[in-house]
Amino acid sequence: METRERGPALAERTAALARAAFSTGDRYPGLPPADGSAETAGEVLAELARGTRLWTALDEHGDAVGCVRAVPGPDGTWAVRRLAVVPRARGRSVGRLLMRALEDGARADGAARVVLDAVVERGNPPFYCRLGYRTTSHFPGPDKPLSEVHMEKDLAAPDEELPYPWGGEPVPLWDGPMRVWFSGPHGTVALPAEPGPAPEAEIAVLAERAARRVGGRARFRGADGLTRPAGVLADPRPAEAVPAFVLPRGADRGVLALWRAGG
């Protein structure tokens, strides 16, 4: 439900939800702390005073288990802020329901689209893809060695679940050299690649090459955009233990994680 009150008690509850949600749940270990993990009631109160809208999800006992904010813009665009679901309520479609409520509110207000920025290394873009958000750009995080994408949804278009990644972005969005990550029974490998007009077919060809290096079926794990061509990177560990996969910009600020798929 949309929460209309604007007092200190609401701000503290919202900040506590954000801290609980953003302090846990990263897909890969060792990532920089999320901004929401240190949110304060004062920050929330200031946002609400500026006109930010807030939706809160309650469980069957009336306890708050999630929230999301949106900033309405003068051009008919709403920007999502801090979708948060506490750990005990995950896997119950709380995040999806909160986003649907936000979108309904935006439509009712006459907005044309909803936009958001999502961190690739935290595994967030696939979730938004399933809600119909398309990636329109990749960019480096402004204050952490992370990679982000800008995503948009046309509120007048029919709701559709988009496959990740290529259903959610025009192909290609990256026009430089790339490396594509695969994992298998005996480790992880990143193979050099160039973006082309048929990425799925190209990934399938690379997967055949990767299988020989990882000792079995090679699973696509993601891809990075590079500033210069690079060779093969092989590691006997799982992808989640390979620093260049977990946090590529931690090793080279010129690298962007373009996609990260599940294991």
Side-chain angles (χ1 to χ4, degrees):
M1 63 180 182
E2 184 169 4
T3 311
R4 297 289 186 177
E5 63 172 293
R6 291 292 186 267
L10 172 69
E12 180 51 53
R13 184 182 72 184
T14 302
L17 282 172
R19 292 193 299 269
F22 287 100
S23 295
T24 62
D26 273 338
R27 174 177 289 179
Y28 308 122
L31 296 180
D35 291 340
S37 64
E39 186 152 63
T40 68
E43 291 169 337
V44 175
L45 204 57
E47 277 197 14
L48 297 177
R50 292 193 295 268
T52 295
R53 306 275 287 268
L54 169 67
W55 288 261
T56 303
L58 306 178
D59 67 10
E60 61 271 25
H61 306 294
D63 296 327
V65 293
C67 58
V68 67
R69 282 166 265 172
V71 181
D75 61 347
T77 298
W78 280 31
V80 177
R81 285 272 297 151
R82 297 268 163 86
L83 173 62
V85 178
V86 298
R88 67 182 178 84
R90 289 173 186 161
R92 299 170 61 185
S93 297
V94 174
R96 178 183 290 268
L97 292 170
L98 283 165
M99 288 298 296
R100 293 301 188 215
L102 182 156
E103 291 164 9
D104 288 344
R107 289 190 186 94
D109 204 52
R113 62 179 184 158
V114 174
V115 302
L116 58 90
D117 295 335
V119 176
V120 175
E121 292 92 340
R122 297 198 197 281
N124 296 330
F127 167 78
Y128 293 109
C129 241
R130 292 193 294 271
L131 298 183
Y133 286 79
R134 299 182 183 276
T135 298
T136 60
S137 64
H138 296 263
F139 62 96
D143 58 349
K144 295 183 178 72
L146 293 167
S147 312
E148 299 192 33
V149 291
H150 185 73
M151 305 183 81
E152 302 182 358
K153 182 172 183 177
D154 179 355
L155 293 176
D159 275 335
E160 59 178 331
E161 183 171 326
L162 301 173
Y164 178 81
W166 296 289
E169 63 182 77
V171 178
L173 281 177
W174 185 263
D175 58 4
M178 296 168 49
R179 65 185 177 201
V180 181
W181 290 93
F182 298 91
S183 63
H186 300 301
T188 303
V189 65
L191 300 179
E194 294 289 337
E200 291 177 275
E202 293 156 12
I203 295 302
V205 172
L206 288 173
E208 292 181 4
R209 290 175 49 199
R212 294 191 290 270
R213 292 178 173 270
V214 298
R217 178 176 171 268
R219 295 169 292 162
F220 170 68
R221 301 301 304 275
D224 299 335
L226 311 176
T227 56
R228 57 188 179 276
V232 174
L233 191 160
D235 196 294
R237 296 172 292 180
E240 292 78 7
V242 179
F245 174 82
V246 172
L247 191 63
R249 294 190 62 229
D252 184 343
R253 288 294 184 119
V255 175
L256 274 183
L258 301 178
W259 311 302
R260 285 295 183 269

PDB file of all heavy atoms in Angstrom, residues 182-189 191 204-220:
ATOM      1  N   PHE A 182      32.434 -18.194 -18.281  1.00  0.00           N
ATOM      2  CA  PHE A 182      31.775 -19.497 -18.186  1.00  0.00           C
ATOM      3  C   PHE A 182      32.314 -20.217 -16.962  1.00  0.00           C
ATOM      4  O   PHE A 182      33.458 -20.015 -16.557  1.00  0.00           O
ATOM      5  CB  PHE A 182      32.058 -20.353 -19.424  1.00  0.00           C
ATOM      6  CG  PHE A 182      31.554 -19.771 -20.711  1.00  0.00           C
ATOM      7  CD1 PHE A 182      32.355 -18.941 -21.484  1.00  0.00           C
ATOM      8  CD2 PHE A 182      30.258 -20.056 -21.154  1.00  0.00           C
ATOM      9  CE1 PHE A 182      31.898 -18.401 -22.673  1.00  0.00           C
ATOM     10  CE2 PHE A 182      29.791 -19.516 -22.350  1.00  0.00           C
ATOM     11  CZ  PHE A 182      30.606 -18.697 -23.112  1.00  0.00           C
ATOM     12  N   SER A 183      31.497 -21.087 -16.392  1.00  0.00           N
ATOM     13  CA  SER A 183      31.982 -21.949 -15.315  1.00  0.00           C
ATOM     14  C   SER A 183      31.563 -23.382 -15.595  1.00  0.00           C
ATOM     15  O   SER A 183      30.624 -23.641 -16.355  1.00  0.00           O
ATOM     16  CB  SER A 183      31.448 -21.489 -13.958  1.00  0.00           C
ATOM     17  OG  SER A 183      30.034 -21.582 -13.916  1.00  0.00           O
ATOM     18  N   GLY A 184      32.276 -24.329 -14.993  1.00  0.00           N
ATOM     19  CA  GLY A 184      32.014 -25.744 -15.198  1.00  0.00           C
ATOM     20  C   GLY A 184      32.542 -26.571 -14.051  1.00  0.00           C
ATOM     21  O   GLY A 184      32.937 -26.025 -13.003  1.00  0.00           O
ATOM     22  N   PRO A 185      32.594 -27.867 -14.229  1.00  0.00           N
ATOM     23  CA  PRO A 185      33.008 -28.754 -13.124  1.00  0.00           C
ATOM     24  C   PRO A 185      34.396 -28.465 -12.583  1.00  0.00           C
ATOM     25  O   PRO A 185      34.660 -28.726 -11.400  1.00  0.00           O
ATOM     26  CB  PRO A 185      32.949 -30.156 -13.760  1.00  0.00           C
ATOM     27  CG  PRO A 185      31.982 -30.019 -14.888  1.00  0.00           C
ATOM     28  CD  PRO A 185      32.172 -28.635 -15.412  1.00  0.00           C
ATOM     29  N   HIS A 186      35.297 -27.942 -13.414  1.00  0.00           N
ATOM     30  CA  HIS A 186      36.684 -27.772 -12.974  1.00  0.00           C
ATOM     31  C   HIS A 186      37.144 -26.322 -13.057  1.00  0.00           C
ATOM     32  O   HIS A 186      38.303 -26.057 -13.360  1.00  0.00           O
ATOM     33  CB  HIS A 186      37.618 -28.677 -13.785  1.00  0.00           C
ATOM     34  CG  HIS A 186      37.296 -30.126 -13.654  1.00  0.00           C
ATOM     35  ND1 HIS A 186      37.302 -30.786 -12.444  1.00  0.00           N
ATOM     36  CD2 HIS A 186      36.929 -31.041 -14.584  1.00  0.00           C
ATOM     37  CE1 HIS A 186      36.958 -32.043 -12.624  1.00  0.00           C
ATOM     38  NE2 HIS A 186      36.730 -32.226 -13.914  1.00  0.00           N
ATOM     39  N   GLY A 187      36.244 -25.385 -12.780  1.00  0.00           N
ATOM     40  CA  GLY A 187      36.692 -24.009 -12.677  1.00  0.00           C
ATOM     41  C   GLY A 187      35.935 -23.035 -13.544  1.00  0.00           C
ATOM     42  O   GLY A 187      34.806 -23.286 -13.986  1.00  0.00           O
ATOM     43  N   THR A 188      36.590 -21.914 -13.778  1.00  0.00           N
ATOM     44  CA  THR A 188      36.000 -20.762 -14.443  1.00  0.00           C
ATOM     45  C   THR A 188      36.937 -20.276 -15.528  1.00  0.00           C
ATOM     46  O   THR A 188      38.167 -20.319 -15.356  1.00  0.00           O
ATOM     47  CB  THR A 188      35.770 -19.633 -13.410  1.00  0.00           C
ATOM     48  OG1 THR A 188      34.936 -20.129 -12.358  1.00  0.00           O
ATOM     49  CG2 THR A 188      35.130 -18.422 -14.036  1.00  0.00           C
ATOM     50  N   VAL A 189      36.374 -19.797 -16.620  1.00  0.00           N
ATOM     51  CA  VAL A 189      37.192 -19.263 -17.695  1.00  0.00           C
ATOM     52  C   VAL A 189      36.491 -18.054 -18.304  1.00  0.00           C
ATOM     53  O   VAL A 189      35.260 -17.997 -18.369  1.00  0.00           O
ATOM     54  CB  VAL A 189      37.468 -20.339 -18.785  1.00  0.00           C
ATOM     55  CG1 VAL A 189      36.172 -20.757 -19.484  1.00  0.00           C
ATOM     56  CG2 VAL A 189      38.486 -19.852 -19.798  1.00  0.00           C
ATOM     57  N   LEU A 191      36.691 -15.847 -21.872  1.00  0.00           N
ATOM     58  CA  LEU A 191      37.222 -15.893 -23.225  1.00  0.00           C
ATOM     59  C   LEU A 191      37.019 -14.541 -23.902  1.00  0.00           C
ATOM     60  O   LEU A 191      35.988 -13.892 -23.718  1.00  0.00           O
ATOM     61  CB  LEU A 191      36.510 -16.973 -24.048  1.00  0.00           C
ATOM     62  CG  LEU A 191      36.618 -18.407 -23.532  1.00  0.00           C
ATOM     63  CD1 LEU A 191      35.844 -19.346 -24.439  1.00  0.00           C
ATOM     64  CD2 LEU A 191      38.074 -18.836 -23.420  1.00  0.00           C
ATOM     65  N   ALA A 204      27.025 -19.364 -27.760  1.00  0.00           N
ATOM     66  CA  ALA A 204      26.982 -20.820 -27.893  1.00  0.00           C
ATOM     67  C   ALA A 204      28.301 -21.364 -28.447  1.00  0.00           C
ATOM     68  O   ALA A 204      28.796 -22.406 -27.998  1.00  0.00           O
ATOM     69  CB  ALA A 204      25.822 -21.229 -28.793  1.00  0.00           C
ATOM     70  N   VAL A 205      28.890 -20.648 -29.413  1.00  0.00           N
ATOM     71  CA  VAL A 205      30.178 -21.067 -29.967  1.00  0.00           C
ATOM     72  C   VAL A 205      31.267 -20.970 -28.906  1.00  0.00           C
ATOM     73  O   VAL A 205      32.092 -21.878 -28.740  1.00  0.00           O
ATOM     74  CB  VAL A 205      30.535 -20.216 -31.198  1.00  0.00           C
ATOM     75  CG1 VAL A 205      31.963 -20.500 -31.662  1.00  0.00           C
ATOM     76  CG2 VAL A 205      29.548 -20.482 -32.334  1.00  0.00           C
ATOM     77  N   LEU A 206      31.266 -19.873 -28.156  1.00  0.00           N
ATOM     78  CA  LEU A 206      32.255 -19.714 -27.091  1.00  0.00           C
ATOM     79  C   LEU A 206      32.095 -20.781 -26.011  1.00  0.00           C
ATOM     80  O   LEU A 206      33.080 -21.258 -25.440  1.00  0.00           O
ATOM     81  CB  LEU A 206      32.134 -18.322 -26.471  1.00  0.00           C
ATOM     82  CG  LEU A 206      32.621 -17.141 -27.309  1.00  0.00           C
ATOM     83  CD1 LEU A 206      32.271 -15.824 -26.619  1.00  0.00           C
ATOM     84  CD2 LEU A 206      34.126 -17.221 -27.543  1.00  0.00           C
ATOM     85  N   ALA A 207      30.856 -21.165 -25.734  1.00  0.00           N
ATOM     86  CA  ALA A 207      30.617 -22.171 -24.703  1.00  0.00           C
ATOM     87  C   ALA A 207      31.253 -23.504 -25.080  1.00  0.00           C
ATOM     88  O   ALA A 207      31.757 -24.234 -24.205  1.00  0.00           O
ATOM     89  CB  ALA A 207      29.118 -22.350 -24.480  1.00  0.00           C
ATOM     90  N   GLU A 208      31.260 -23.827 -26.360  1.00  0.00           N
ATOM     91  CA  GLU A 208      31.909 -25.066 -26.799  1.00  0.00           C
ATOM     92  C   GLU A 208      33.410 -25.005 -26.529  1.00  0.00           C
ATOM     93  O   GLU A 208      34.017 -25.986 -26.098  1.00  0.00           O
ATOM     94  CB  GLU A 208      31.628 -25.298 -28.278  1.00  0.00           C
ATOM     95  CG  GLU A 208      30.166 -25.608 -28.583  1.00  0.00           C
ATOM     96  CD  GLU A 208      29.944 -25.853 -30.057  1.00  0.00           C
ATOM     97  OE1 GLU A 208      30.930 -25.849 -30.827  1.00  0.00           O
ATOM     98  OE2 GLU A 208      28.775 -26.037 -30.458  1.00  0.00           O
ATOM     99  N   ARG A 209      34.015 -23.852 -26.784  1.00  0.00           N
ATOM    100  CA  ARG A 209      35.438 -23.689 -26.495  1.00  0.00           C
ATOM    101  C   ARG A 209      35.694 -23.735 -24.997  1.00  0.00           C
ATOM    102  O   ARG A 209      36.664 -24.347 -24.523  1.00  0.00           O
ATOM    103  CB  ARG A 209      35.937 -22.370 -27.076  1.00  0.00           C
ATOM    104  CG  ARG A 209      36.013 -22.328 -28.587  1.00  0.00           C
ATOM    105  CD  ARG A 209      36.398 -20.945 -29.065  1.00  0.00           C
ATOM    106  NE  ARG A 209      37.568 -20.427 -28.347  1.00  0.00           N
ATOM    107  CZ  ARG A 209      37.894 -19.136 -28.291  1.00  0.00           C
ATOM    108  NH1 ARG A 209      37.141 -18.230 -28.902  1.00  0.00           N
ATOM    109  NH2 ARG A 209      38.969 -18.762 -27.634  1.00  0.00           N
ATOM    110  N   ALA A 210      34.827 -23.083 -24.234  1.00  0.00           N
ATOM    111  CA  ALA A 210      35.017 -23.029 -22.786  1.00  0.00           C
ATOM    112  C   ALA A 210      34.892 -24.407 -22.154  1.00  0.00           C
ATOM    113  O   ALA A 210      35.569 -24.711 -21.159  1.00  0.00           O
ATOM    114  CB  ALA A 210      33.998 -22.080 -22.170  1.00  0.00           C
ATOM    115  N   ALA A 211      34.042 -25.272 -22.717  1.00  0.00           N
ATOM    116  CA  ALA A 211      33.819 -26.596 -22.132  1.00  0.00           C
ATOM    117  C   ALA A 211      35.110 -27.395 -22.047  1.00  0.00           C
ATOM    118  O   ALA A 211      35.314 -28.176 -21.103  1.00  0.00           O
ATOM    119  CB  ALA A 211      32.773 -27.351 -22.947  1.00  0.00           C
ATOM    120  N   ARG A 212      35.990 -27.195 -23.003  1.00  0.00           N
ATOM    121  CA  ARG A 212      37.259 -27.937 -22.988  1.00  0.00           C
ATOM    122  C   ARG A 212      38.151 -27.478 -21.846  1.00  0.00           C
ATOM    123  O   ARG A 212      39.039 -28.214 -21.402  1.00  0.00           O
ATOM    124  CB  ARG A 212      37.966 -27.764 -24.339  1.00  0.00           C
ATOM    125  CG  ARG A 212      37.210 -28.394 -25.504  1.00  0.00           C
ATOM    126  CD  ARG A 212      38.063 -28.444 -26.761  1.00  0.00           C
ATOM    127  NE  ARG A 212      38.303 -27.134 -27.327  1.00  0.00           N
ATOM    128  CZ  ARG A 212      37.520 -26.555 -28.244  1.00  0.00           C
ATOM    129  NH1 ARG A 212      36.419 -27.185 -28.664  1.00  0.00           N
ATOM    130  NH2 ARG A 212      37.808 -25.362 -28.742  1.00  0.00           N
ATOM    131  N   ARG A 213      37.950 -26.252 -21.381  1.00  0.00           N
ATOM    132  CA  ARG A 213      38.802 -25.710 -20.316  1.00  0.00           C
ATOM    133  C   ARG A 213      38.230 -25.944 -18.925  1.00  0.00           C
ATOM    134  O   ARG A 213      38.974 -25.928 -17.947  1.00  0.00           O
ATOM    135  CB  ARG A 213      39.021 -24.209 -20.547  1.00  0.00           C
ATOM    136  CG  ARG A 213      39.867 -23.913 -21.792  1.00  0.00           C
ATOM    137  CD  ARG A 213      40.011 -22.407 -21.996  1.00  0.00           C
ATOM    138  NE  ARG A 213      40.938 -22.094 -23.074  1.00  0.00           N
ATOM    139  CZ  ARG A 213      42.239 -21.909 -22.932  1.00  0.00           C
ATOM    140  NH1 ARG A 213      42.784 -22.030 -21.735  1.00  0.00           N
ATOM    141  NH2 ARG A 213      43.003 -21.618 -23.963  1.00  0.00           N
ATOM    142  N   VAL A 214      36.915 -26.115 -18.823  1.00  0.00           N
ATOM    143  CA  VAL A 214      36.304 -26.270 -17.497  1.00  0.00           C
ATOM    144  C   VAL A 214      35.867 -27.704 -17.247  1.00  0.00           C
ATOM    145  O   VAL A 214      35.182 -27.988 -16.255  1.00  0.00           O
ATOM    146  CB  VAL A 214      35.115 -25.298 -17.312  1.00  0.00           C
ATOM    147  CG1 VAL A 214      35.586 -23.863 -17.392  1.00  0.00           C
ATOM    148  CG2 VAL A 214      34.003 -25.581 -18.321  1.00  0.00           C
ATOM    149  N   GLY A 215      36.242 -28.612 -18.133  1.00  0.00           N
ATOM    150  CA  GLY A 215      36.041 -30.027 -17.883  1.00  0.00           C
ATOM    151  C   GLY A 215      34.612 -30.514 -17.954  1.00  0.00           C
ATOM    152  O   GLY A 215      34.234 -31.443 -17.236  1.00  0.00           O
ATOM    153  N   GLY A 216      33.812 -29.906 -18.791  1.00  0.00           N
ATOM    154  CA  GLY A 216      32.418 -30.340 -18.920  1.00  0.00           C
ATOM    155  C   GLY A 216      31.556 -29.211 -19.428  1.00  0.00           C
ATOM    156  O   GLY A 216      32.063 -28.207 -19.938  1.00  0.00           O
ATOM    157  N   ARG A 217      30.268 -29.370 -19.281  1.00  0.00           N
ATOM    158  CA  ARG A 217      29.337 -28.345 -19.771  1.00  0.00           C
ATOM    159  C   ARG A 217      29.678 -26.965 -19.203  1.00  0.00           C
ATOM    160  O   ARG A 217      29.817 -26.806 -17.992  1.00  0.00           O
ATOM    161  CB  ARG A 217      27.909 -28.718 -19.390  1.00  0.00           C
ATOM    162  CG  ARG A 217      26.856 -27.688 -19.805  1.00  0.00           C
ATOM    163  CD  ARG A 217      25.455 -28.182 -19.468  1.00  0.00           C
ATOM    164  NE  ARG A 217      24.480 -27.130 -19.662  1.00  0.00           N
ATOM    165  CZ  ARG A 217      24.076 -26.283 -18.708  1.00  0.00           C
ATOM    166  NH1 ARG A 217      24.583 -26.422 -17.486  1.00  0.00           N
ATOM    167  NH2 ARG A 217      23.202 -25.344 -18.967  1.00  0.00           N
ATOM    168  N   ALA A 218      29.823 -26.007 -20.097  1.00  0.00           N
ATOM    169  CA  ALA A 218      30.178 -24.644 -19.686  1.00  0.00           C
ATOM    170  C   ALA A 218      28.915 -23.795 -19.587  1.00  0.00           C
ATOM    171  O   ALA A 218      28.170 -23.669 -20.553  1.00  0.00           O
ATOM    172  CB  ALA A 218      31.145 -24.025 -20.695  1.00  0.00           C
ATOM    173  N   ARG A 219      28.706 -23.232 -18.427  1.00  0.00           N
ATOM    174  CA  ARG A 219      27.531 -22.392 -18.191  1.00  0.00           C
ATOM    175  C   ARG A 219      27.896 -20.925 -18.369  1.00  0.00           C
ATOM    176  O   ARG A 219      28.883 -20.444 -17.800  1.00  0.00           O
ATOM    177  CB  ARG A 219      26.993 -22.610 -16.781  1.00  0.00           C
ATOM    178  CG  ARG A 219      26.463 -24.015 -16.548  1.00  0.00           C
ATOM    179  CD  ARG A 219      26.190 -24.240 -15.074  1.00  0.00           C
ATOM    180  NE  ARG A 219      27.436 -24.256 -14.292  1.00  0.00           N
ATOM    181  CZ  ARG A 219      27.491 -24.097 -12.984  1.00  0.00           C
ATOM    182  NH1 ARG A 219      26.397 -23.872 -12.290  1.00  0.00           N
ATOM    183  NH2 ARG A 219      28.640 -24.146 -12.350  1.00  0.00           N
ATOM    184  N   PHE A 220      27.119 -20.205 -19.130  1.00  0.00           N
ATOM    185  CA  PHE A 220      27.315 -18.774 -19.316  1.00  0.00           C
ATOM    186  C   PHE A 220      27.068 -18.062 -17.995  1.00  0.00           C
ATOM    187  O   PHE A 220      26.034 -18.232 -17.370  1.00  0.00           O
ATOM    188  CB  PHE A 220      26.351 -18.261 -20.383  1.00  0.00           C
ATOM    189  CG  PHE A 220      26.290 -16.763 -20.498  1.00  0.00           C
ATOM    190  CD1 PHE A 220      27.366 -16.044 -20.969  1.00  0.00           C
ATOM    191  CD2 PHE A 220      25.133 -16.074 -20.141  1.00  0.00           C
ATOM    192  CE1 PHE A 220      27.307 -14.658 -21.084  1.00  0.00           C
ATOM    193  CE2 PHE A 220      25.058 -14.692 -20.251  1.00  0.00           C
ATOM    194  CZ  PHE A 220      26.151 -13.983 -20.727  1.00  0.00           C
TER     195      PHE A 220
END
